[in-house]
Amino acid sequence: MFIKDIGIDLGTANTLIYLRGRGIIIREPSVVAVNTHTDSAKYVGKEAKEVIGRTPGSIVAVKPLKNGVIADFETTTIMLQEFIRKALRGKTFTKARVIICVPSGVTTVERRAVKEAVEQAGAKYVLIVEEAMAAAIGSMIVDIGGGTSEAAVISMGGIISSKSIRCGGDELDAAIINHIRKRYNLLIGERTAEDIKIQIGSAFPMEREDAMEIKGRNLLNGLPETINITGSEVRDAMSEPLARIVDAIKYTLEQTPPDLSADIIDRGIILSGGGALLRGIDRLIHKETGMPVLVAEYPLDCVAEGTGKLFSNLERYQDAFMEDNRY
């Protein structure tokens, strides 16, 4: 019997697939380029992201997940089928067991949609676990993804306190776009905003503040225009969504029993997800909470790697799975 154990971190920005025995084998953007004439997927993942903003009218790049949940069921299913086909190199998928991670704040209906999408992609068994649980087993984790941010304190195989907000890397990008539009009357795309965030963005004042030349379309005359923007300006633009993430962390700490709070002081807060790569975010959280803050060595991989640990200890971590999806 060809049985495979597959862990899926189905993120708003990126999808990672873990194959037991091989580790993480797929890291792809959660994007599908759809041909509107035929309603078929033309590109999936990296290829689809590369054509965002550069396609003819008949090709539309779609992000099928929004704020950590499925916004387009059919496109999500197509995307998962393609990623899993790549992961298994075209081999049969009908006997696979899948653990898929979702934000803790999703509704029962949203959770059922995730499960059905994986089942339609061909899985035989599907287990659903909260992202924070998969990312960290035994401490406090803050997982900052593309569409959601999760703060959770984990002890003895369960989540003690947590807060999930629909705010992540996409909100930071949107804040940059809005700032540049309001201040400079310049319209930039999502890819440009993400590049700005990565290259000169920060959550805390840096010793050296970089600047960057950006190009966009002037909203007053419709012509292309080039401006310079500084790192401190980008930080100010992102301040509101960053404050929301910090507030979620503070709320989680406030709900944590005193004895566990003492453990967090000793162990620190672990940052995972793509948002953990934003420069200075560990220093911002430390300043606001007083807690030691550490960025995971490979923050983008934490959730997917965690599914592998769950496969190895299914009985031990039964309480980690959603009640209506236990194995």
Side-chain angles (χ1 to χ4, degrees), residues 270-271 277 294-302:
I270 309 298
L271 301 184
L277 298 172
L294 304 170
V295 177
E297 185 176 4
Y298 301 105
L300 287 168
D301 297 353
C302 291

Side-chain angles (χ1 to χ4, degrees), residues 213-241:
E213 183 181 86
I214 61 173
K215 298 178 176 64
R217 176 165 56 83
N218 188 298
L219 291 170
L220 298 179
N221 58 29
L223 299 176
E225 185 178 332
T226 301
I227 65 168
N228 285 298
I229 189 169
T230 64
S232 60
E233 192 176 349
V234 175
R235 183 169 58 254
D236 289 342
M238 298 188 297
S239 60
E240 192 277 331

Side-chain angles (χ1 to χ4, degrees), residues 8-85:
I8 301 176
D9 176 12
L10 182 62
T12 304
N14 297 285
T15 295
L16 282 73
I17 293 185
Y18 175 99
L19 187 60
R20 191 175 181 185
R22 291 180 58 195
I24 296 174
I25 56 175
I26 295 291
R27 294 180 178 86
E28 297 265 4
S30 301
V31 183
V32 179
V34 177
N35 186 323
T36 57
H37 291 166
T38 61
D39 286 330
S40 60
K42 186 171 180 64
Y43 306 108
V44 175
K46 293 176 183 176
E47 292 179 336
K49 186 174 183 179
E50 288 173 358
V51 303
I52 289 179
R54 300 177 178 175
T55 57
S58 61
I59 306 295
V60 178
V62 176
K63 291 185 176 181
L65 290 107
K66 184 176 178 59
N67 296 327
V69 296
I70 294 175
D72 185 327
F73 182 83
E74 291 183 3
T75 305
T76 300
T77 303
I78 291 169
M79 183 180 74
L80 283 172
Q81 288 174 332
E82 177 61 18
F83 289 162
I84 292 166
R85 185 192 64 77

Side-chain angles (χ1 to χ4, degrees), residues 4 6 10-11 23 25 42 60 72 152 161 170 173 232 258 262-263 266 278 283 285 287 292 304 320-321 326:
K4 288 291 185 181
I6 297 172
L10 182 62
I25 56 175
K42 186 171 180 64
V60 178
D72 185 327
S161 61
D170 290 351
D173 296 344
S232 60
D263 291 340
D266 293 335
L278 179 65
R283 296 166 64 185
I285 295 170
K287 176 178 179 291
F321 299 109
R326 291 183 184 173

